């Protein structure tokens, strides 16, 4: 369970991770639209995935799915 391994405890982490990977879309706005969550929570979830599932943001803010 990645929520415990990475110290990020959000009940929607696994759901959002699956959504981002399956749609190959790592944008905060995409997560917001698909889950109806606020910007801060969506941003925190995306940032928690950086390094293992997502690339760090490029200068234009775009992250790539890396799994």
């Amino acid at each position: 369970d990645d929520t415990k391994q990475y110290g990020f405890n959000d009940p929607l982490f696994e759901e959002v991770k699956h959504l981002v990977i399956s749609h190959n879309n790592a944008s905060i706005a995409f997560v917001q639209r698909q889950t109806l969550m606020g910007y801060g929570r969506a941003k925190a979830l995306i940032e928690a995935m950086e390094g293992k599932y997502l690339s760090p943001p490029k200068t234009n803010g775009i992250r790539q799915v890396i799994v």
Side-chain angles (χ1 to χ4, degrees):
D1 185 3
D2 288 328
T3 57
K4 291 179 182 174
Q5 181 179 357
Y6 292 95
F8 190 80
N9 190 18
D10 188 304
L12 290 179
F13 182 86
E14 293 297 324
E15 179 181 333
V16 170
K17 179 180 78 172
H18 175 73
L19 186 70
V20 165
I21 292 169
S22 65
H23 286 87
N24 197 32
N25 189 337
S27 77
I28 294 167
F30 172 75
V31 171
Q32 285 182 273
R33 285 190 305 272
Q34 296 297 311
T35 63
L36 303 178
M37 70 175 58
Y39 175 82
R41 187 176 185 187
K43 180 178 186 274
L45 285 164
I46 290 289
E47 288 177 345
M49 293 180 214
E50 285 179 11
K52 182 163 183 178
Y53 304 106
L54 307 176
S55 69
K58 297 181 181 178
T59 55
N60 60 4
I62 295 174
R63 294 171 178 87
Q64 298 292 320
V65 176
I66 57 174
V67 292

